[in-house]
Amino acid sequence: MAYGSGKPAWGRGGDVEDGVPNRRNNANSGNSNGSYQRAGESGAYQYQSNANNNYQPPQLTGAFAEQQTQVVEDTMRTQIQAETTAGGVLAAMVGQKQQLQNANDDTWAMRTNVANAQRELKELQMKAWKKKQRLYGIIGLLSTVDLVLFFGLYSVGGASFVDDIEMCK
């Protein structure tokens, strides 16, 4: 709509959004209904553009009282149609709210699971590091014992150990 033209877009028969991209034209998702749902799935409410949804003014004929009766009847039909549409939209919104709440709950559950997994991995890493340090300590102790025995044998000439074993028999 050109501002200051005096005619709104809906009065000219043009696009109400007037150049603003429509969210339903979602080319990236592969579906044309603007939903996060996969193609082929349908929500509780779908907009249907047919002649039944467009306002048709009453065709007034007859006397003034009959015309007023026709206007009231048309108003009642319009009100019932609006309430029906509002009920469908409300039901769709309730369903979407539930979907969003479920997605939010799932997200928090995933975050909790990830935090627990990270904590468990850190605990496992700490246990593995402690075992590795213990093994290095055992290796060092056994190496020291081997060196002491080797130098002990070397200092006495090695024959003494064999003699000691024969004496024990």
Side-chain angles (χ1 to χ4, degrees):
M1 173 177 140
Y3 291 103
S5 67
K7 279 189 153 183
W10 59 268
R12 296 191 313 254
D15 185 11
V16 176
E17 294 178 339
D18 199 31
V20 177
N22 190 345
R23 289 182 63 174
R24 293 183 187 180
N25 294 333
N26 190 357
N28 294 335
S29 69
N31 61 5
S32 61
N33 63 356
S35 171
Y36 64 88
Q37 296 174 340
R38 289 188 262 342
E41 294 181 354
S42 63
Y45 176 78
Q46 291 182 347
Y47 178 75
Q48 300 171 353
S49 63
N50 57 21
N52 295 337
N53 289 335
N54 296 330
Y55 174 73
Q56 298 293 325
Q59 304 297 323
L60 301 176
T61 58
F64 180 74
E66 291 176 5
Q67 290 178 355
Q68 292 302 313
T69 302
Q70 291 174 359
V71 168
V72 170
E73 288 174 351
D74 182 59
T75 303
M76 293 300 292
R77 277 193 300 272
T78 303
Q79 179 186 359
I80 291 170
Q81 182 181 10
E83 286 179 1
T84 304
T85 303
V89 169
L90 183 61
M93 290 176 74
V94 167
Q96 290 173 355
K97 177 184 174 188
Q98 187 63 40
Q99 288 175 344
L100 289 172
Q101 285 176 339
N102 290 341
N104 187 35
D105 294 344
D106 291 345
T107 301
W108 280 108
M110 281 297 244
R111 286 181 181 174
T112 303
N113 290 342
V114 167
N116 289 339
Q118 286 176 339
R119 181 184 46 79
E120 289 176 8
L121 283 173
K122 285 181 182 179
E123 289 175 2
L124 288 174
Q125 287 174 341
M126 185 59 75
K127 286 180 183 178
W129 184 80
K130 286 180 180 179
K131 284 182 180 180
K132 187 176 179 181
Q133 295 303 317
R134 241 183 268 132
L135 287 174
Y136 281 142
I138 292 171
I139 289 171
L141 179 68
L142 290 176
S143 297
T144 304
V145 169
D146 282 347
L147 285 174
V148 168
L149 289 175
F150 176 74
F151 285 123
L153 283 175
Y154 182 74
S155 66
V156 293
S160 174
F161 181 71
V162 174
D163 293 338
D164 290 341
I165 290 177
E166 287 182 7
M167 290 170 84
C168 292
K169 288 185 184 180

